[in-house]
Amino acid sequence: MTKTFRVLLIALFVLGFCTFGFSNITHSGNPTIVGCTDTFTTSIVGSFYQWSFGPNSNPRNFSSPTPKAIAFFLTPGSHTVRVMVTTAGGPVGDSLTFNVNASATNMTLTSFPTPVCAGTPTTFSAGSGFAAYAFFLNDSLIQLSSSSAYQGNLAAGDSVRVFGSNGGCFSNASNTIKANPLPAAATISSSIANDTICSGDLVVFSATPPGQGTYLFYNGGSQQQSSVSNTWTTTQLGQGNQVIVLVKDANGCTSGWSNVIKTTVKPTPQINSSASTTGICQGESITISVSTAQPPSPTSYDFKVNSVSVQNTASVTYTSTGFNNNDTVVITGSLDGCNSAPTPPIIISVSPIPAITITSSADSICQGSPVTFTALPAGYTTYIFSNGGTVLQSSASNTYTSSSLNDGAAITCVADNQGCSGLPSNEIVIAVSPAPIVNAGNDDGICINNPADSLTGFSPAGGAWSGTGISDPSGIFDPAVAGVGAHILSYSFTDPNNGCPASDSKTFTVNGLPQITAPSPVNICGEPAQLNASGGTTYSWSPTGSLNNPNISNPEATPTQTTDYVVTVTDNNGCKDSATVTVNVNPTPVASFTYTPVCTGMPSSFINTSTPATGNSYVWDFGDGTTSNVDNPTHTYNSGGSYTVILTAHLGTCSHIATQTVTVYSGAKASFDATPLTSYSDESSPINFNNQSTNSDSWVWDFGDGNSSTQRSPSHTYTSPGVYTIVLVAANQYGCDDTFTRINYITIYQNARVFVPNVFSPNGDGANDLFLVYALGTRYAEVSVFDRVGEKVYESNDVNEGWDGTYKGKPAPLGVYAYSVKVVFDDNTTRYLKGSVTLIK
């Protein structure tokens, strides 16, 4: 960076200005661009020059003994430059007003933090891409370097902007960033007049004046609240608290700290409570105890029962026998005027002592008869019924029923209510008469299809039967009425002496008939039929004549005509049932066929000779993965070999299979190639044919020129030029043949010849007037003739055109001329000829 960019801040001494009709100041800028240096020169002669360039320039002022000064401008628009010159006649002033154009290069400026607050260290960052950066503070250059960052601590109202340069002019000025003033500090006050509270008390802190922005309340170094509210409410103050507040305005700038409020916090005791028990019987005592949950301990404890204080002393226990059900105990501890929170309520459960009496449904019963005892009142926790010293039942039920009491049983009951036991109830003695001895007899069974049966084996006589299937109380059982299953039959008898009844029961099982499983019908086609039945233990089949064994479950039947077989099945219970199986004897076809042997690729005919001739359907399997349902099909095999052909004939449900081995002869496959594929018509080079045929033993060749051969691999000489198609027919002893054709396979060319004369006489006599190249069997020829100095006198690519002995329209001199000839023959070979020819007259 040159010295012209240094800041020279020199006060401008305005001693007066002379007025001229025109300005004596000129400048080099045309036009002047923002950020580009401009050289100013005055024509006024003097000994000292004081320049002023205005507030948006650098430098703003400059003094020198020479009439020149250099400056650049920070903003576009109209600018005025003034100069004061010290002359021999006194100070003379002059000015020049001109326009400064904006730069084509722009600049941006950002800050961290944003926004900028007065007194806050801030980093200003310029846009990248420049070699030098000029930072201005309040329009005064404060940093000029290659760094794109400037760090400063601005006062309220200060502004920063930056220019960038890449070695020439500076950019336009960046955006301007200004420092915002800080908001005024707030004053904080407390809702507690003497700033002394008990731990957990509510305190409200207020900051004034309100409405200044966001209030940040701190307790010590920890922020407690940040909001637009100027109050903070808390119950969490502890020892050593110091509450202060900051104010943050809409620009994000924060004030200084407020005054500090220190609140004295006295400890609030914390206590726990417990009870020796919460459930008692009426008249028992309970002790309520209190303990310190967190030091220090209270100096007094207030015990309250149902919100009424019953003890307020230093004692940590309270004992009483006067509690009632659902009484509530709460305790509060006190220390230095600070009361603990009330303990969770202890609810006392007091159960009354139960007193009961019992009654019975009867005092005299028959043995085995039920009797029920009832204890009153109901609703206690447990009722314990006893016979003498033996507990019969202990449960929540207030009734006890029994049918097994003996004569003279003495029943009492004791009630318990939530662990509180009462005295025994009154006693009830029961008289029990003996019951008769009844026997229903042994269990029995019967088949479902048996007639009604009389029951036997029971005692004593004179009783009555009941149950499913009993058609008469005297003991008649009908299995058809009862149905299959096990049935409980009851026999009842009443003692005529004491009127006590008794009963007994037996199981009478009705067995179902065997569940016979047998096929029906069975279809056969002349073969034996396998019969099969199940569902029992013994089997009997009829008629027996065509069976191998009529007394097994699965005999084999060989009927000659359709027959119905009846099987009788007996199960483990001796129950029997029958089923019928029909064996249908169906007519059977006989399959047979003939065929014609063939070669691969040729159709073979299959002749169906099955019987009967009508009524059958057929399925052919040709042994190569293909099938047919046609009566007399034809089939073509693609490969030679032996194939197993199967014909299945179907007549109704019966079928028969015929199988034969069919021989398919491999077909001939014709193929060949030849060498060479081209030749000439001079008969000097024959074409050799290579027979590549398979499965063949005779061959017929057609060479395409009217000639043929029966040799395996013949040779053939062509005498005429042309393109020839070759055909080979290959055959074998089975009459199988194949044809292979190569179209336009052999090419025969005309014999190639070239003749170049060594003399010609272009004298117009009609003989040898042209130098002409003679060529046979050629496609193309180029002819060039040169004189003795190597100049080309003739050129042609038409062999039918010759040199007439002229050059540029005039006769060429007599003498010897050189020639070169390029010939392309019909087989695409090329030949080059060089020599000389003599031109004579």
Side-chain angles (χ1 to χ4, degrees), residues 201-565:
D201 285 355
L202 184 144
V203 184
V204 179
F205 295 93
S206 301
T208 56
Q212 299 303 301
T214 300
Y215 293 86
L216 289 76
F217 286 88
Y218 287 80
N219 185 2
S222 176
Q223 182 176 300
Q224 304 298 316
Q225 177 178 294
S226 175
S227 71
V228 296
S229 173
N230 68 320
T231 62
W232 173 51
T233 300
T234 181
T235 60
Q236 303 300 316
L237 291 182
Q239 295 297 337
N241 65 86
Q242 297 185 44
V243 178
I244 55 178
V245 71
L246 289 174
V247 179
K248 182 185 289 186
D249 62 15
N251 294 320
C253 296
T254 305
S255 70
W257 294 106
S258 70
N259 56 303
V260 179
I261 294 180
K262 297 178 66 176
T263 303
T264 300
V265 181
K266 297 187 297 181
T268 297
Q270 298 182 27
I271 62 175
N272 293 325
S273 63
S274 62
S276 58
T277 180
T278 57
I280 62 173
C281 295
Q282 192 170 15
E284 294 179 344
S285 66
I286 295 179
T287 297
I288 308 298
S289 301
V290 65
S291 61
T292 300
Q294 181 175 324
S297 299
T299 56
S300 64
Y301 301 91
D302 186 9
F303 291 83
K304 293 182 178 180
V305 178
N306 300 331
S307 301
V308 177
S309 178
V310 296
Q311 178 179 295
N312 191 348
T313 65
S315 175
V316 296
T317 61
Y318 169 71
T319 302
S320 175
T321 59
F323 286 107
N324 296 313
N325 192 37
N326 292 325
D327 278 353
T328 301
V329 181
V330 175
I331 309 165
T332 303
S334 178
L335 175 64
D336 194 18
C338 294
N339 294 328
S340 71
T343 60
I346 297 175
I347 300 175
I348 307 300
S349 175
V350 180
S351 300
I353 302 298
I356 61 171
T357 58
I358 63 172
T359 60
S360 65
S361 58
D363 294 332
S364 177
I365 60 172
C366 292
Q367 186 180 3
S369 297
V371 60
T372 298
F373 301 89
T374 302
L376 296 174
Y380 292 125
T381 306
T382 306
Y383 294 86
I384 303 171
F385 290 89
S386 301
N387 180 9
T390 302
V391 175
L392 302 174
Q393 175 180 292
S394 178
S395 68
S397 174
N398 69 322
T399 64
Y400 166 67
T401 299
S402 177
S403 58
S404 60
L405 294 180
N406 296 320
D407 186 40
I411 308 301
T412 61
C413 183
V414 175
D416 181 278
N417 187 36
Q418 303 295 331
C420 301
S421 296
L423 296 175
S425 69
N426 56 301
E427 181 182 78
I428 297 178
V429 178
I430 300 298
V432 179
S433 299
I437 298 174
V438 177
N439 183 6
N442 297 328
D443 293 342
D444 204 350
I446 196 171
C447 294
I448 184 69
N449 57 353
N450 282 11
D453 187 26
S454 296
L455 302 179
T456 61
F458 58 90
S459 64
W465 285 92
S466 62
T468 303
I470 295 297
S471 59
D472 189 316
S474 64
I476 304 301
F477 178 79
D478 190 341
V481 174
V484 174
H487 305 283
I488 304 300
L489 305 183
S490 180
Y491 180 65
S492 300
F493 178 81
T494 300
D495 189 336
N497 297 317
N498 58 18
C500 290
S503 63
D504 190 20
S505 62
K506 64 184 294 183
T507 300
F508 207 101
T509 302
V510 178
N511 299 304
L513 299 182
Q515 297 297 312
I516 302 175
T517 301
S520 182
V522 176
N523 295 303
I524 61 173
C525 299
E527 74 277 10
Q530 181 65 59
L531 304 181
N532 193 356
S534 62
T537 57
T538 63
Y539 301 86
S540 177
W541 295 82
S542 65
T544 61
S546 57
L547 299 176
N548 64 338
N549 188 343
N551 297 315
I552 60 175
S553 64
N554 56 342
E556 187 177 87
T558 55
T560 58
Q561 61 184 4
T562 298
T563 303
D564 291 331
Y565 292 92

Side-chain angles (χ1 to χ4, degrees), residues 12 51-61 73 79-82:
L12 176 63
W51 294 86
S52 173
F53 298 105
N56 288 300
S57 62
N58 186 51
R60 292 186 180 183
N61 303 292
F73 298 90
H79 288 260
T80 299
V81 176
R82 294 180 175 84

Side-chain angles (χ1 to χ4, degrees), residues 643-669:
Y643 297 88
T644 300
V645 178
I646 301 172
L647 170 62
T648 302
H650 296 276
L651 180 60
T653 60
C654 298
S655 62
H656 185 250
I657 294 176
T659 302
Q660 291 192 58
T661 299
V662 174
T663 300
V664 178
Y665 301 109
S666 297
K669 183 66 177 180

Side-chain angles (χ1 to χ4, degrees), residues 49 130 137 186 196 208 237 327 416 584 607 610 667 669 737 755:
Y49 300 84
F130 295 92
L137 175 63
T196 299
T208 56
L237 291 182
D327 278 353
D416 181 278
N584 295 313
I607 307 302
S610 301
K669 183 66 177 180
D737 59 58
F755 171 73

